[in-house]
Structures are given as structure tokens and as C-alpha cells.
Amino acid sequence: DVKVTQSSRYLVKRTGEKVFLECVQDMDHENMFWYRQDPGLGLRLIYFSYDVKMKEKGDIPEGYSVSREKKERFSLILESASTNQTSMYLCASSYRDRGPFFGPGTRLTVL
Amino acid sequence: DQQVKQNSPSLSVQEGRISILNCDYTNSMFDYFLWYKKYPAEGPTFLISISSIKDKNEDGRFTVFLNKSAKHLSLHIVPSQPGDSAVYFCAASTWNSGNTGKLIFGQGTTLQVKP
């Protein structure tokens, strides 16, 4: 079974804090993605990566950065968390032309 | 600019009946479509997909229909079961980009199946 794990299920941070969300996949997938899910907006792509050390902006990259130093690990960084970044964050991985497999999500609350 | 739209935020059906979830898209370059199911506090799980070279794909109780001329797809669940109660997302991609993992999602439809 494909497994995508995220470091935290729930996270509470203060405005201005630097936040790291970690994602690990165990299927040697080339592609990894970070989405956020908000009510009424569906899932929106923040960043994606097709290879180690490679990244591309998605539809809403502002306020976020990413790191992919190893194939299995893709990190999302909120440089200075703000209340409008309170959301459900979903990591996913995929192989070439297959639809992505998602992790369980991290519910982030920024106070 | 919402390229993939699910205009019904919610749907309620009786157990055993058919559930029909709809999805519209605007970008004619989309050529690969997927449906995901999501329970609360869990990540979305893949349900079924369809390529634009087909107009129908079936997997057990789930069938996806694609109408390219109308830029419309639908997911049929027959018969519906209480365990099908979840949020359903449709998603679209451009296969030729070589990276179909990059998906554009709709807003989601919450399906409730009543016993």
C-alpha cells in the first residue's frame, strides 16, 4: 500500500512563527505536492516538485516555500505564519501519469 | 477563475438509490479527470478516473461519464450506501503536460446517504 505520512495531524501556532510541515512517502514516487483545503474552495495547489531539489509554484504559493532534499521527503514552510493560513494542509505523491495519493492532512490553526 | 466547478455543495439520497454528482469544467485542454472521496479528518482517496478518449468508465458501484462537448462529467453511485457519505471532489488535469499529479479540483459536494 502506498503510504504518505504527515508529521502532525493538528498544529496550533502563533502569528509570525515559522512553521514546518513535513511529508514523507514510501513508494519512490517522483512527484510530490502540497495542497490546502478550505470550505467552498476545494483543494488548491501551493507547490509541487517533480524531482529532488526541484520545485514549481502552484496556484497559491504566496507566503509559502518548500524544500525537497530527498526523494521521499517534501517540506512546506510558512516563513511567518498569518491567520489566513489557518487551513487543512494535504501532501500528496504520484508516479508519472497516476493520480496522486494523499496523506491524512495537517489541520493548522494560526492564532 | 474556477476552472473546475461543482455547483451543488450538498446532496442527500436514500440508501439503495442512485447518487449523481456533477462537475463542469471550462478548460478544453483538460484531458484526464478524477474523482476523490474524502472523510472528515482524513486525506482524499482516489475513486475513479477517466481519460478524454472515453465517455464512460465503470468500477463496481461507481461509474463516471464524460461529455466533452458540454465540458461536463458526472459520478454515479449505484446503489448508494451509508458508508458513501463523504465529500466528493472532481479534479482535472492536462495529460500532455506529463504531470497528471498536478490537478485542478472542484469545490466538493457533500453526499449524505440516509439509511
Side-chain angles (χ1 to χ4, degrees):
Chain A
D1 276 356
V2 175
K3 195 155 187 185
V4 179
T5 56
Q6 296 183 230
S7 50
S8 304
R9 294 300 301 272
Y10 300 93
L11 211 51
V12 180
K13 295 291 181 180
R14 297 267 177 206
T15 301
E17 279 193 76
K18 191 168 186 176
V19 182
F20 292 87
L21 302 182
E22 305 285 343
C23 174
V24 177
Q25 51 97 0
D26 65 358
M27 291 305 295
D28 201 35
H29 284 170
E30 300 163 339
N31 308 325
M32 295 190 75
F33 308 84
W34 276 105
Y35 286 86
R36 63 178 279 179
Q37 182 201 353
D38 300 289
L41 297 177
L43 279 71
R44 293 178 293 166
L45 182 63
I46 305 171
Y47 265 98
F48 58 102
S49 169
Y50 297 136
D51 202 351
V52 175
K53 297 190 186 295
M54 181 275 177
K55 60 186 178 185
E56 285 194 29
K57 293 180 180 179
D59 300 317
I60 51 164
E62 295 78 19
Y64 304 95
S65 62
V66 290
S67 172
R68 194 166 180 200
E69 296 296 319
K70 294 184 178 181
K71 191 174 185 179
E72 67 271 18
R73 189 180 296 270
F74 192 35
S75 303
L76 180 70
I77 304 154
L78 287 66
E79 295 290 342
S80 177
S82 62
T83 54
N84 64 12
Q85 291 179 310
T86 291
S87 186
M88 168 71 86
Y89 289 88
L90 294 159
C91 175
S93 71
S94 74
Y95 177 71
R96 294 185 183 174
D97 59 358
R98 302 298 176 100
F101 294 90
F102 283 86
T106 296
R107 171 71 66 185
L108 173 66
T109 301
V110 182
L111 302 175
Chain B
D1 180 25
Q2 192 81 22
Q3 296 186 69
V4 178
K5 295 181 182 179
Q6 295 175 255
N7 292 316
S8 298
S10 62
L11 175 67
S12 182
V13 300
Q14 208 65 37
E15 181 179 5
R17 307 293 289 269
I18 184 172
S19 295
I20 301 176
L21 296 98
N22 294 303
C23 180
D24 297 296
Y25 62 95
T26 57
N27 187 344
S28 58
M29 298 300 292
F30 288 145
D31 52 16
Y32 186 63
F33 304 89
L34 305 91
W35 284 93
Y36 280 80
K37 173 181 178 179
K38 186 181 184 300
Y39 293 117
E42 293 184 15
T45 54
F46 170 76
L47 257 183
I48 191 168
S49 63
I50 187 167
S51 167
S52 60
I53 62 173
K54 295 184 175 182
D55 54 18
K56 176 182 174 181
N57 189 26
E58 198 170 349
D59 184 2
R61 296 187 297 115
F62 302 92
T63 303
V64 57
F65 295 92
L66 176 62
N67 182 334
K68 289 187 290 293
S69 61
K71 295 190 180 70
H72 177 84
L73 64 156
S74 60
L75 174 69
H76 293 212
I77 307 174
V78 183
S80 301
Q81 299 173 353
D84 295 330
S85 298
V87 180
Y88 289 79
F89 292 98
C90 76
S93 179
T94 51
W95 181 290
N96 290 332
S97 74
N99 295 297
T100 58
K102 183 184 174 186
L103 303 175
I104 307 296
F105 282 85
Q107 307 96 311
T109 296
T110 300
L111 172 66
Q112 182 185 26
V113 180
K114 297 179 179 178

